[in-house]
Every structure is written in structure tokens, then in C-alpha cells.
Amino acid sequence: MELTEDQKHLVEDLSGSAFVIACPGAGKTRAVVARYLRRTEQEPRKGIALVSFTNAAIDEVRRRCGDQEPTKAPHFVGTFDSFIHRFLVAPLYRAIYDVSPRLIQSWKDTKASKFRLAVNLRIPDVELSWFDFDIDGRATLRIDRVPTRAGQQLIGLLQGSRRGEAETRASGIYRALLQAGTVSCDASRFLASAWLADPRTRALIQPLITDRFTEVIVDEAQDCGDEELTILQFLRDCGVDILLVGDLDQSIYEFRRAVPERVAAFAATLPNRLALVDNFRSSPAICAMNSALRVGAVPDLARGPYAQSKVPVQVISYNRTQSIAADVLATAEKHGLMADETIIVSHGTADVLRAAGVKASDAVGTNRVAAIVDAGYKLRSSSDGKSRVAALERVERDLVEAAVGGSLDHKSLEAVCEEHSIERRWLRDATMRLCQALDPHGMTAAQFSAAVRARVTGLDWPPHLTVSSSLFRAPAAGKWSELLKSEVSAVLPFSTIHGAKGLEFPAVALVLSDRLRKDDTTQRTVLDDWEQGYGTEARRVLYVGASRAQQLLMLVVPAAHRERVCRLLARDAVPFIETP
């Protein structure tokens, strides 16, 4: 497919720093990759970096280039976190801590990041992600990060008499993790920002960047937070051109501290600007829906294979969530689309599970055998990719602990695997085979656990390891019964909107919860935001969900809100029809 004139301008003509606004389906990834490949050809001495908050552009470069020059030094392709870690944090980290750092996604990826308060009560563990840390490792509890699932008893202790104990324990664990070379993405970003704020360490890092890069392309730029923006300004100060590519209306990661308003302010300082408004993904009705939900003034223009489609947005109302999946499937089939071409999406995990007809269960707990059952269910189900990967990673850690004789302590999984010569790709393949091989139905907990232990010891481990399978104990009878009832049996694929971001589907059923949440500060719901024109994250989440659709978009709304939604669609000139 030929590049459009606007895409060619991005690839061939833009020079200097710029902000490129790209609507959904604009061919952004294709154009960004083409730009990167062209610039790596033009720069024989200094490097070009392509960084992203998702893997789409990264995977495309690697697919097209393999092990060729554009993926080798001095160039760089990877996530923004890996860029920060490799070029800003690692050089100083080795000097300060005398160890090479290992990046993990979050503190939740290591069991060492949890601890129990010294009280004789049945309360959950305290988690490191609930704290901020200063440059010396001192912890400050952020009570707003403690989830309600932690329970009022624990929250009361943390707010009161046990706060000091919790902060002291968190400080010690944090420092031990850093001393072991285990660094979360949040910690890596913080260290980079702190070292750049110090003139002495900034002066050490600056020549490393100036000598290495001439241009950094930032894909999905709307997901930048304050720390990323600080780093981008530092790169500009080093003389590096910054090419931001994204869509501010797709900024849906405020919980990860994305700040679209400040991204817009930073983008306004860049000398060049370009808009990609041709939508090659969606039909005219879906593009009209996108324009109704986005706050930006640039509309989507349908240009792709469905540009001549006359199919309107379908409004499906419901009284009971149990009816949603069947109604969605019937509507999709009426338009010639099958179950595997249709996905149900919603903002919250609980909402999408109810809409898909899946019973949520917390039967896994800390039991390793239950985790294997859960991962097997997810691999065989229609659950989203992130859930499947998280379930697999949990089992991988359990397997490695069995192989190396206990807890990984403060080390990352990658560091332990390298230390014990466990090849990561083999570990992932072995974990997938283990989780998919055994069917728990028709087996008792003891029988299934015995089968798991036999398979764990029978894996092709490196010969120097003596694997103990005793960690894989049978779940209690009650938990086992609950596990067997919790297998995902959805009629249709499903995902949270965050999990579906960056993807596209022939048909999308966007489900509004029957319990519309009010913002704690404004007391507005997402429909209030849409009606009154507020550019909130809740509204942007709806926009991201709707814009995943190619041929058919179904708005699935509680019956109590049907008239209001239809009124908004009519006001914003979105072609729609109510399904019977």
C-alpha cells in the first residue's frame, strides 16, 4: 500500500523537532517505522531511536529488519522505559551500586516487594507500589494508592499507628532491591529524573546522549508523564531532535501518571506540526462516533476499505447483563460477522466479565497449583492478551523458584534465569505447555497436583539444577471446587479497553456499565462529560474503545441511559439505529 501524501511528508520531509497528530487507523505505525528506517539510512555515525509505550511499532521494526543494521548500535528500538533504563540510568547505576541493573515492569513482579505488618490480624500484605521514595530510598506512604480491596482494617492501621513501621519496612526493602540490581520502571524513571535534576550527574549523562543520538521518535506520545517530558526536554537540550507522534485523545493512563495537558504544552514548543486525519480502519459511522467523543478539533475521515459502508452505529440497551453477549452476537451475525470477529470491551474488568458472561473468581490466591489451573483456563479462553501474559509470568516465577530452591528474594526473574543458565524463551514455552497439557476436570486436587509435580520434574531443566516439586501443593477442597467452576466460557472474545488499546476488530461491542461511576472531584459521570464537552479520561476511554471498530460498532447501554445516549448521538450527527 502506497504512503499517502501526509504520510510521505512525515517520512521524507519533516526536519527538526515536530508533533504529529494521528487519528485512529491513520497508518501511524507504518509511517513511523518507514521514517525510522529512512533516518537510519541517512545517519551513518549517530543513532536514531524509536521508543514507544506499546509494542506495535517496535515489533514491526523487528519484523521488517530482523538482525539488520537499523536494529543495531548506534540505533535503538524499544520501549520508553527500556530507553531510560539503558541510556540514562544504567551508566550511573553501575557506578553507584556496583551492580548491573535489571528492569522489571513493576514491583508487583517480585514477591520481595510485599511485607506483612507485625500485628496478629488476618490482613493483606503491604505493597511497595503504595509508596513514593526519595533519592536516598526513604519511603512515604501514599494512602490514595492503597486499593479498597486491602480492607478498612489495614487502611486504618496505615493511616494511624503503623504508618511509621510500614514506611521503615518499605525503605529497607526498596534499598535492598536496588542493591541487588532490581529496578522497577517507576523507580528507573524516578532515578533518571533525580539524576538529571542534579547538575553533577546531569553533566555526566549529557555527553553520552549528545554523542549517541541525533533524533528520537516517540510513538504513542500521549502516554508521556512528567518524568518522560523531563527526559524529552533534556534530550532537546542535548541537541537531539524530538518527533512526537500520537493522539492526545487516546491518553488513558492517568493512573500511570500520563498528563495529556502537559504533553500538549510540550508539543506546542516544537517548531513543526502535522496532522494525519485519514482513517483507513473504520467506516463513516464509526469515524463520526470518534469525532463525537474526542475533544480535539481534527475529525476522522473514512478512507479505507469500509469508507463506503452505510452501516450505522447500533445501540443495544439492556436491563440484565446476562443478555448482553447473546444480543451482541445476534447483532454481529445480522451484519455478516462471526463470533471470532467480534469483541466485547468495557472500562472495568468486572464490567467486561459480567458482559461476557464470565464469573470472576479469586480462588487462585497464593497456591501454585491453582495458578497453573488459572493460566491454563486463560490460555484456552477469550480473555485478553495481558491477562494471559500475567498468568504465565506468575507460573514462570513459581517454576524458577522450584528450580533454584526457594524465593528469588530481591532479584528479578531475568537476573535469576541468567545466573542459573535458564533460557527465557525455553521457560516461556515450557510454562505454556505445562499449563495447557493438563485438564483439571474429572480430577481431584491431589490427583492434579501429583500430575503437575511429575511434569515439573520432567521438564528439560539445565542439568546442574535439582528441581524440587514440593512447592506445588494441592489446593484445599473448597478452593479446588471454586477453581473448577471458574473456567472462562465466554461466547465472545472480551477485553478491558486498556487491554484492547492499539488493536482493531471487525466488530466491537462497547459496554457502558449499569453503574456509571461519578468522578470523586467533579461528581460527573462519563455521559455528563460527553454531554457537556469536558475532556476527561473517562471520555477518552470511551473514544479508545469505539475507535477499535472497523465495520460495526455496537454501543451497549443500560436501558435507563438509552434515551440520553441516543440524544447525544443525534446531537453529534452520528448515524445510529436502535436494535429491537
Side-chain angles (χ1 to χ4, degrees), residues 11-12 32-49 61 64-65 68-77 214-215 217:
V11 173
E12 300 173 4
V32 163
V33 170
R35 165 81 181 197
Y36 172 79
L37 296 177
R38 180 179 177 85
R39 292 291 289 119
T40 55
E41 290 178 354
Q42 294 173 333
E43 292 290 342
R45 292 185 300 109
K46 284 192 176 184
I48 307 297
V61 169
R64 291 177 59 175
C65 301
Q68 298 175 27
E69 291 303 316
T71 62
K72 296 180 179 179
H75 310 301
F76 175 82
V77 179
T214 186
E215 178 175 303
I217 304 167

Side-chain angles (χ1 to χ4, degrees), residues 7 38 92 125 149 180 224 246 261 305 318 336 375 423 441 545 550:
Q7 290 171 343
R38 180 179 177 85
L92 287 182
D125 292 343
R149 61 174 166 76
C224 287
E261 298 83 6
Y318 68 92
E423 206 274 316
H441 293 282
Q550 297 171 293

Side-chain angles (χ1 to χ4, degrees), residues 84-102:
I84 293 169
H85 185 71
R86 178 172 173 180
F87 297 108
L88 303 178
V89 173
L92 287 182
Y93 199 102
R94 284 188 285 268
I96 294 171
Y97 293 100
D98 195 30
V99 64
S100 293
R102 299 278 183 170

